[in-house]
Amino acid sequence: MTTKKSQPRRRFVVRNSGIHGKGVFATTHIPAHTRLIEYKGKRLTEAQVDKRYANDDDPHTFLFALDDGIVIDATINGNSARWINHSCAPNCEAVDDKDRIFIETLRAIRPGEELSYNYGIELEERHTPAMKRLYQCRCGARRCKGTILQAKTKK
Ligand SMILES: C[S@@+](CC[C@H](N)C(=O)[O-])C[C@H]1O[C@@H](n2cnc3c(N)ncnc32)[C@H](O)[C@@H]1O
Ligand SMILES: [Zn+2]
């Protein structure tokens, strides 16, 4: 006789998004402050990223920059976390836990809701109107800032 092990139900799926390309959607109720998935990929230095993407002006990337100059490139050994879109009113956040990035819910999420976090992208160059347009945000939030770029913090 074989016994069937019950599999934990997947809490989210990847499918087409109204924000951009593919996105990640909840399949079930998810409580607030739930750790959902690690943002996985190959760890590169900024120099390696610059070399790898030298001729690439496309703002569309699967890169996650850590504070210490290391960048996680989810095009190499990445997982579903790479499909999570940005929102100006996100329901998740990216949490740094000992240099590993985890996506956690900020609030309770209903089945069918798209998961999102604030990318917080701050470019070294000036955030000119043209750059803001290049990084245009389509999150659809009532208070959408119109750009994925994060306002620069004064140093
Ligand atoms: C890590 S991918 C996310 C998955 C993406 N939807 C896809 O299908 O490739 C990040 C890219 O998705 C796009 N993106 C994510 N959130 C967006 C938003 N709120 N508005 C416009 N584009 C967005 C940007 O091009 C960004 O560089
Ligand atoms: Zn937005």
Side-chain angles (χ1 to χ4, degrees), residues 4-39:
K4 202 174 159 204
K5 264 197 190 158
S6 66
Q7 297 284 329
R9 196 171 159 220
R10 286 208 63 187
R11 289 179 293 191
F12 49 82
V13 286
V14 177
R15 62 175 163 83
N16 288 343
S17 162
I19 297 178
H20 174 276
K22 287 183 189 171
V24 180
F25 294 79
T27 52
T28 182
H29 284 280
I30 309 175
H33 312 300
T34 303
R35 186 166 283 193
L36 288 175
I37 188 169
E38 179 172 357
Y39 192 100

Side-chain angles (χ1 to χ4, degrees), residues 29-155:
H29 284 280
I30 309 175
H33 312 300
T34 303
R35 186 166 283 193
L36 288 175
I37 188 169
E38 179 172 357
Y39 192 100
K40 285 201 173 165
K42 189 173 167 70
R43 283 167 182 261
L44 303 175
T45 62
E46 276 173 10
Q48 286 172 318
V49 170
D50 288 347
K51 198 166 159 207
R52 200 178 162 85
Y53 297 102
N55 301 315
D56 191 350
D57 291 334
D58 189 349
H60 178 250
T61 73
F62 291 98
L63 301 174
F64 194 111
L66 303 178
D67 289 342
D68 58 4
I70 295 296
V71 178
I72 302 174
D73 186 343
T75 62
I76 312 161
N77 302 329
N79 57 8
S80 308
R82 72 184 187 276
W83 300 112
I84 301 176
N85 281 318
H86 160 96
S87 172
C88 300
N91 51 21
C92 295
E93 64 179 339
V95 176
D96 187 328
D97 186 350
K98 301 188 191 81
D99 263 2
R100 291 167 66 188
I101 300 299
F102 295 90
I103 308 300
E104 297 181 3
T105 57
L106 282 167
R107 59 163 173 81
I109 295 177
R110 297 180 303 279
E113 267 193 81
E114 177 163 0
L115 306 181
S116 60
Y117 62 93
N118 180 352
Y119 284 8
I121 301 173
E122 210 182 291
L123 302 178
E124 273 175 28
E125 61 215 274
R126 227 163 56 77
H127 291 182
T128 58
M131 286 313 272
K132 288 182 185 167
R133 265 197 307 280
L134 190 62
Y135 284 84
Q136 187 185 358
C137 183
R138 298 190 186 87
C139 76
R142 200 152 41 94
R143 298 217 173 117
C144 175
K145 296 182 177 72
T147 179
I148 292 174
L149 297 178
Q150 182 82 28
K152 288 200 185 228
T153 46
K154 291 207 174 75
K155 292 195 177 124

